[in-house]
Amino acid sequence: MKKYDIKALVSIGMLSSIGFVLMLLNFPLPPFPKFLMVDFSDIPALIAALIFGPVAGILVELFKNVLDYILTSSDTGIPVGHFSNFVAGVLFVIPTYYIYEKLKTKKGMTYALIVGTILMAVVMSVLNYFVILPAYTMFMGFPAMSGEETRQMIVAGILPFNIVKGILISIVFMLLFTRMSTWIGKQRAYRI
């Protein structure tokens, strides 16, 4: 296991806090169900992964969701939404990190973000079908959805939402990345 120095730990803590604040600034997109909210909290996790490695990105995703659950709770009382946000963030950040590590160009980052978006959208659709939506209906006391209803919810709502969310996050991140890429490269010297 990697041993992080003080700078890395403080940076991970700061990026987790920024991610938590960005989670609070979430908003719905009109054509999608209201429980699906867009936030830009995966951007600090992606920055952490690029600077300190993939474990740092995962830690930022974990800490921001734990902070959000402790301070805002959830509708179900169980952190189903936070678990979903954590998994979606990891599915977006980790492939993006590994693809960018191979290509290391702005064009490579664009390609990495596209792959991260597609992977997140597809895997989250599968997880929603088998785990997340059944957990929501169980904990909220709603009648169980049939397989066809679940499939329609995923195809019409969850899959396109995750694609749109990934595109929005990618656009904002690329705007930041074009300005910060030199700084991120210098910070990578502290990678352990």
Side-chain angles (χ1 to χ4, degrees):
M1 183 170 161
K2 289 184 177 183
K3 181 180 174 187
Y4 287 106
D5 66 358
I6 298 298
K7 178 181 172 70
L9 292 174
V10 169
S11 297
I12 290 168
M14 287 179 7
L15 289 166
S16 298
S17 299
I18 293 168
F20 163 67
V21 170
L22 290 173
M23 278 185 84
L24 296 176
L25 302 174
N26 59 19
F27 57 93
L29 292 175
F32 300 109
K34 293 200 184 289
F35 66 88
L36 296 173
M37 306 288 269
V38 174
D39 64 63
F40 296 101
S41 63
D42 294 330
I43 292 174
L46 191 50
I47 291 170
L50 291 174
I51 295 172
F52 300 108
V55 174
I58 293 169
L59 288 174
V60 169
E61 289 289 345
L62 176 67
F63 295 151
K64 74 175 173 116
N65 278 290
V66 169
L67 276 170
D68 191 64
Y69 179 68
I70 290 170
L71 297 173
T72 64
S73 191
S74 75
D75 293 337
T76 62
I78 306 292
V80 176
H82 294 90
F83 169 76
S84 178
N85 185 286
F86 170 74
V87 172
V90 169
L91 287 169
F92 179 74
V93 169
I94 299 305
T96 301
Y97 164 78
Y98 280 112
I99 292 170
Y100 178 70
E101 280 297 300
K102 297 281 186 214
L103 305 176
K104 295 199 185 208
T105 63
K106 288 181 184 172
K107 188 175 180 181
M109 177 56 80
T110 303
Y111 177 69
L113 289 166
I114 291 168
V115 171
T117 296
I118 292 169
L119 188 65
M120 173 189 65
V122 170
V123 175
M124 286 307 294
S125 295
V126 172
L127 285 175
N128 269 285
Y129 186 82
F130 290 108
V131 179
I132 298 166
L133 286 176
Y136 261 122
T137 56
M138 182 179 76
F139 289 121
M140 293 296 284
F142 297 145
M145 294 169 60
S146 70
E148 181 59 26
E149 290 173 320
T150 305
R151 189 184 67 73
Q152 285 178 339
M153 166 86 77
I154 290 167
V155 170
I158 293 172
L159 178 62
F161 169 82
N162 280 323
I163 291 170
V164 170
K165 177 183 174 183
I167 290 169
L168 291 173
I169 291 170
S170 297
I171 290 168
V172 172
F173 181 76
M174 280 307 291
L175 292 172
L176 291 171
F177 185 72
T178 55
R179 301 269 187 201
M180 296 176 59
S181 59
T182 305
W183 178 82
I184 288 173
K186 289 178 183 175
Q187 299 306 307
R188 290 169 65 99
Y190 296 105
R191 180 181 277 187
I192 301 164

